[in-house]
Amino acid sequence: MKLLIIGGDAAGMSAASRAKRNMPDMEVTVLEQTADVSYSACGMPYNIADPHRDMNDLVVRKADAFREKQGIELLTGHRAEAIDADGGTVTAVTPQGKTAVFPYDHLILATGASPVFPDVPGRSLPGVMALKQLEDGRRIKEYIKSRQVASVLILGMGYVGLEMCEALRARGIQVAMVKPGPDLLPWMDRSLAQVVSEELAANEVALHTGQTVLEIREQGRRLSAVTAAGILEADMILSAMGIHPNSALATEAGISLGPENSIAVDKQLHTSRPHVFAAGDCADAYHVVTGQKTWIPLALRANRAGWAAADVVCGRGADIEGVAGTAVFKVFNLEVARTGLSMAEAHRAGFDPVSATIRSRSRAHAHPGATDLHVHVIGDRISGKLLGAQMVGREGAAHRINAAAVALHAGMSVERFSGMDLAYAPPFGPTWDPLLTAANQLVKQLRS
Amino acid sequence: MKLLIIGGDAAGMSAASRAKRNMPDMEVTVLEQTADVSYSACGMPYNIADPHRDMNDLVVRKADAFREKQGIELLTGHRAEAIDADGGTVTAVTPQGKTAVFPYDHLILATGASPVFPDVPGRSLPGVMALKQLEDGRRIKEYIKSRQVASVLILGMGYVGLEMCEALRARGIQVAMVKPGPDLLPWMDRSLAQVVSEELAANEVALHTGQTVLEIREQGRRLSAVTAAGILEADMILSAMGIHPNSALATEAGISLGPENSIAVDKQLHTSRPHVFAAGDCADAYHVVTGQKTWIPLALRANRAGWAAADVVCGRGADIEGVAGTAVFKVFNLEVARTGLSMAEAHRAGFDPVSATIRSRSRAHAHPGATDLHVHVIGDRISGKLLGAQMVGREGAAHRINAAAVALHAGMSVERFSGMDLAYAPPFGPTWDPLLTAANQLVKQLRS
C-alpha cells in the first residue's frame, strides 16, 4: 500500500512515522518543498533571542534519520503542484526542476499554513520578514546580525509578534508594534489585556493600535511604514499578522473547504474526496464547546491529527477529539493562557455568556514571592456550562489553564467545575485555586 | 435559628462566615479551644524556615474581625466536652474553667484532626514536638531559637515531615528522618520516589527506613531515639507520623464513624444524627474514583465542606462533589504532585490497574533551562478509566496535576484523556504535554 504525504512538518512527519510504526511494510513517501523537516517552529523566537545559539538546535530529527532509521521515502525540495484525486496521483517539481508523478493509495495533505503579508507596496522589500519556517528564522537571525538591526517594527500583535518582542528586546533591539484594530489581544478580557499592555510598556515596546500600514518604503538602510497618522521607521519589519491555511492545492482538486479556507475534514480526518485526508495547520477541526467547525492552527493538534490520519489509513482509526483552543504564550515575564471561547466568540456561537473576572495570588497568604494572578471565566446562562477561561500572571497561569481545558472537553457546568478537588500547597497557590475562586464568582453571576 | 459550630479553623470559620452571608440574622456561635482561628496551617513550615518572620503573619483573619465585622459569636478558649444530640445542646468549658451549656438548632462538628505521637516512653519530653496548630508552630520556632537547635530527628516521612526538612535545612539545621516502613512515600511509583530520595540526599537529609523508635530519652540537652538498630540523637524530635480525626466527641454522642474513625457524613454533610453536620479534617468524604468513603484530610476540602454544610443548614444545600485526593508538596527544589489512586489503592478498590511511567521534559526541545519531569499514570484494564496520576519535577508538576484531577472527576477513560487539547509553548513544556505522553503510553499498555 502506498501512502503519500504532502508536507514534512509536524502533521506530515507525525503521520509518516506513525504509519511506519503501525505497518512497517507500508510504502510511505513525503513530499516537502523546503530542506527542513521536524523542527520546533514555536522555538524560533527563543532561538533568535540568543545570538550564540544555532538555529539548527531546533531540529528535532534530521531528514536522514527518517529515511534511514524509519524507512520513510522523504523527498525534500519537492514542491507538489497538483492533485489528481480521480487518478490517485500527485504531480510535483523535483529539486532539479523536473516534473514527477507520484501515485498513491492514500494521500494525506499536511501543507500547513503561510504567514499573511500586508497587501501594500513594498511588501517584498528585503527587510520585510515573516517567521513561519525554519528558513525564515535563519534569514531573520542573519539579517539582524549582518545589518546590525537596532530597531524592528512588528506588524500585528498576536502570539508570534508578542513572543518576538521579548526575543528582540533581549538583544537590545528597539521594538514597536502596529495594527489596524483598536485593541491589543481583542479576544481577551480588557482587564487582563491591560496587564499584558503594562508589561509591554514596562519593557519599552511601543504599541500603535488603530493604524493601518499603507506602504513600506526603503530609505537607505532603513524602512519606513507609512500610515495615515505618519511614518514608523525601523531597520527591519516583521510581518506577524497571522497565518492562512495552505489549501490552494486542495481547492484545485475539488476538495471542500471549511472555516477561513482551511480544508474541511471529518472526525477521522477524511476530506470530501475518498482516500484523501488532511491534518495540521491546513485543516479544520470540531470545537468541543460549540460542536461546530473551527480553524485553530496549533502545534499539538497538528501532531495529533497526523497520528490520527495515519491510524485511519492503517485501518485502526478512531474519532479524533475536538479542540478547545487551549493556548499559552509568554510575554516577557508574563504567562498568558486561554482555553475555550471568549465572550465575543460565545455570543457569536449563540450562547448567553456571563463572565467573572478576579485577581488572586500565585502563592498562599503570606507566602514569600506571591504575585497577582488574573482569571477570567465565562459560562452560559442557559445551560450553566463552562465556556472558556483566560489567565494572566507572572507564574502559575501556563499549566493551570489545562484544568479548565479538560472541564471544557467534559462539558462541565461552572458549578460542577467549582467543586473540583485541585492541588494546594503554599508555594503554588492559595487554598482555593484561583480558577475555583473565579468559578465560585461565576456561579453567583449565573444564579443572579 | 441558632447554628453552633465546634472548631474555629478552616472548616468551622468557613461555615460560620458562609452562614452569616447566607442569612445575616442567624445566630452563629463558634467554640474554639485555642486562641487562634483562620490561619494558614500549611504555611507553618515556610514560616519556620525564616527566623525573621513572625508566626502571626499566617493569621488570615483575626478573631475580632469575625466578631465585629461579621457578627459571629466566636468563643476562643472554649473546649467542647459533650454533645447531647437528643436535647440539642453542647457542654463546654470556658476559659475560666466553668461549664457552660450551648443550645443549638443545627450543629456543625469541625473538630479537625490531631497529630499522631509515637506510643513510647519519652513521648512527652519537652523537645518532642508536633506541628498542627499555630501554637505548635510558635513553640517549635521558639524552641529552635532558645535552644539553638542544630539537629532535628523527624519521625515519619509524609508531607509535613518533608516540608519541614526543607525548612530546617534552610536554617542550617541537620535533619534525619526515621520510619518503621521500608519505603519513602510508599504510595508513589518507585522510580518517582527515587527522584525524591535523591533530592533529600542532595540536601543532606539522612533517611532511616525500616526502623521503629522504641523509646525517647533525654541526655542533658539532647534527645536520643532508641531503635532496634541503635540510637539516633538530635536536639529536637518532630513527630510527623500523620494525623487522626478528632471524632471522640462525636463517638460519645452516638454518631457513626467512617474510614479511619473519621465522622461519617453524607453528600450534604449530615452525620447519622439529625441536625448534626461534620466538615473538615474530622469528617469523611466520597472518593470520585472509587465512589466509596475515604478519609483524605486536606485544606481545600475543609474550606469547601464548611461552606457546603452552612448552605445545607440555610436550606440552600446541594450535594458536595467528592474528593480526588489531589495533593502537591515541595521538597527542596522538587514539586511532587498526585491525584486519584495509587497502584496499591487501585488494587484494593477492586480495579485491574495498569500503569505507565515516563520521563519527559519541563520545556520544549532545545529550550534553555529544561529539566526532567517524571509522570506516572494509572488506568483500569476493565473499564479503560483513568484512575490516578503522579508527577515529580523541578517545575511544571504542581499545576499540571489538576488536569488529571478534573479528568478523574469527569470519569474519563485514559484514551479520552490522551486526546485533551492542552496548552503548549516552548517555555512551559513539550508539544505533547508530559501528561499526554504518559497517557499515550498507558493507552498502549491497556490495549496490550
Side-chain angles (χ1 to χ4, degrees), chain A residues 40 53 60 399 402, chain B residues 195 334-335 357-376 391-397 400 423-438:
Chain A
S40 173
R53 274 182 69 195
V60 177
H399 303 131
N402 290 338
Chain B
V195 178
L334 283 184
E335 303 180 8
T357 306
I358 62 137
R359 191 183 63 182
S360 181
R361 298 287 280 173
S362 67
R363 305 183 184 186
H365 174 81
H367 198 88
T371 53
D372 285 344
L373 191 52
H374 303 262
V375 186
H376 174 69
M391 306 185 87
V392 175
R394 293 189 182 277
E395 59 180 5
R400 257 197 184 91
Y424 162 61
F428 308 120
T431 309
W432 287 93
D433 188 278
L435 270 174
L436 299 176
T437 301

Side-chain angles (χ1 to χ4, degrees), chain B residues 280-295:
Chain B
D281 288 358
C282 65
D284 70 4
Y286 285 94
H287 198 291
V288 295
V289 177
T290 63
Q292 303 299 308
K293 282 299 190 77
T294 188
W295 183 62

Side-chain angles (χ1 to χ4, degrees), chain A residues 376-431:
Chain A
H376 175 70
V377 285
I378 299 169
D380 178 30
R381 192 185 292 281
I382 302 162
S383 64
K385 275 195 182 178
L386 184 68
L387 299 177
Q390 303 175 356
M391 305 184 88
V392 175
R394 295 190 181 276
E395 60 179 5
H399 303 131
R400 255 198 187 90
I401 201 72
N402 290 338
V406 176
L408 294 178
H409 279 273
M412 269 187 200
S413 69
V414 177
E415 184 148 8
R416 179 109 201 271
F417 182 62
S418 76
M420 293 296 101
D421 187 12
L422 304 187
Y424 162 61
F428 307 119
T431 309

Side-chain angles (χ1 to χ4, degrees), chain B residues 29-229:
Chain B
T29 304
V30 179
L31 306 175
E32 165 55 42
Q33 61 184 353
T34 73
D36 301 302
V37 293
S38 185
Y39 56 88
S40 173
C42 305
M44 289 192 287
Y46 303 95
N47 187 293
I48 291 168
D50 180 354
H52 305 298
R53 274 182 68 196
D54 188 323
M55 192 57 67
N56 290 327
D57 285 357
L58 295 175
V59 174
V60 178
R61 205 174 168 83
K62 290 190 178 166
D64 280 345
F66 286 104
R67 293 177 186 127
E68 290 156 21
K69 294 190 184 159
Q70 293 181 258
I72 294 165
E73 182 78 355
L74 172 52
L75 304 174
T76 48
H78 281 65
R79 196 175 72 250
E81 294 273 281
I83 300 163
D84 176 358
D86 296 318
T89 62
V90 169
T91 306
V93 177
T94 69
Q96 295 74 34
K98 294 187 180 159
T99 296
V101 175
F102 296 87
Y104 65 77
D105 297 306
H106 296 286
L107 174 65
I108 298 177
L109 305 176
T111 46
S114 295
V116 174
F117 276 88
D119 188 19
V120 298
R123 56 177 277 176
S124 302
L125 286 167
V128 183
M129 315 285 224
L131 183 66
K132 183 69 178 65
Q133 295 181 318
L134 201 57
E135 196 49 39
D136 298 328
R138 292 189 189 104
R139 202 180 305 126
I140 289 172
K141 207 161 179 178
E142 176 55 30
Y143 196 89
I144 290 171
K145 186 180 169 192
S146 64
R147 299 287 192 112
Q148 295 174 296
V149 166
S151 63
V152 171
L153 175 65
I154 299 176
L155 313 184
M157 301 183 187
Y159 300 168
V160 173
L162 290 167
E163 288 173 341
M164 280 299 294
C165 267
E166 184 187 339
L168 296 168
R169 292 297 298 134
R171 296 185 61 164
I173 296 169
Q174 285 196 336
V175 180
M177 307 182 92
V178 60
K179 70 178 283 195
D183 294 322
L184 175 69
L185 302 169
W187 51 266
M188 188 176 267
D189 176 74
R190 289 301 84 205
S191 68
L192 273 67
Q194 180 63 28
V195 178
V196 179
S197 170
E198 284 163 12
E199 182 75 2
L200 290 168
N203 286 281
E204 300 176 319
V205 174
L207 298 186
H208 305 282
T209 51
Q211 294 190 37
T212 304
V213 172
L214 306 169
E215 186 185 347
I216 299 169
R217 293 184 195 148
E218 199 170 21
Q219 292 184 311
R221 290 172 71 93
R222 282 175 69 80
L223 295 167
S224 297
V226 182
T227 74

Side-chain angles (χ1 to χ4, degrees), chain A residues 174-219:
Chain A
Q174 284 196 336
V175 180
M177 307 183 89
V178 60
K179 68 178 281 193
D183 295 321
L184 174 68
L185 302 169
W187 50 267
M188 189 176 267
D189 176 74
R190 288 301 85 204
S191 67
L192 273 66
Q194 179 63 28
V195 178
V196 179
S197 169
E198 285 164 12
E199 182 75 2
L200 290 168
N203 286 280
E204 299 175 319
V205 174
L207 298 186
H208 304 282
T209 51
Q211 293 190 38
T212 304
V213 172
L214 306 170
E215 186 184 347
I216 299 169
R217 292 184 198 150
E218 200 170 21
Q219 293 184 311

Side-chain angles (χ1 to χ4, degrees), chain A residues 14 18 21 40 42-44 46 53 56-60 163 288 298-301 303-304 307 311 318 321-330 334-339 362 364-368 395-412 415-429 431-433 436 440 444 447, chain B residues 14 18 21 40 42-44 46 50 53 56-60 163 288 298-301 303-304 307 311 318 321-330 334-339 362 364-368 395-407 409-412 415-429 431-433 436 440 444 447:
Chain A
S14 291
R18 182 80 164 190
R21 264 199 307 277
S40 173
C42 305
M44 288 193 287
Y46 303 95
R53 274 182 69 195
N56 289 329
D57 285 357
L58 296 175
V59 174
V60 177
E163 289 174 341
V288 295
L298 290 170
L300 172 60
R301 169 72 186 193
N303 281 274
R304 181 179 270 147
W307 273 24
D311 282 351
E321 181 80 22
V323 297
T326 315
V328 62
F329 56 102
K330 188 165 169 282
L334 283 185
E335 303 180 8
V336 183
R338 70 169 295 187
T339 189
S362 67
H365 174 80
H367 199 88
E395 60 179 5
H399 303 131
R400 255 198 187 90
I401 201 72
N402 290 338
V406 176
L408 294 178
H409 279 273
M412 269 187 200
E415 184 148 8
R416 179 109 201 271
F417 182 62
S418 76
M420 293 296 101
D421 187 12
L422 304 187
Y424 162 61
F428 307 119
T431 309
W432 287 93
D433 188 277
L436 298 176
N440 284 336
K444 278 193 227 168
R447 280 182 187 154
Chain B
S14 291
R18 181 80 163 191
R21 264 200 307 276
S40 173
C42 305
M44 289 192 287
Y46 303 95
D50 180 354
R53 274 182 68 196
N56 290 327
D57 285 357
L58 295 175
V59 174
V60 178
E163 288 173 341
V288 295
L298 289 171
L300 172 61
R301 169 71 186 194
N303 281 273
R304 181 179 271 150
W307 273 26
D311 282 351
E321 181 80 22
V323 298
T326 315
V328 62
F329 55 101
K330 187 165 169 281
L334 283 184
E335 303 180 8
V336 183
R338 70 169 293 186
T339 189
S362 67
H365 174 81
H367 198 88
E395 59 180 5
H399 302 131
R400 257 197 184 91
I401 201 74
N402 290 339
V406 176
H409 279 275
M412 269 186 199
E415 184 149 8
R416 179 109 202 271
F417 182 62
S418 76
M420 294 296 101
D421 187 13
L422 304 187
Y424 162 61
F428 308 120
T431 309
W432 287 93
D433 188 278
L436 299 176
N440 285 336
K444 279 193 225 168
R447 280 182 188 154

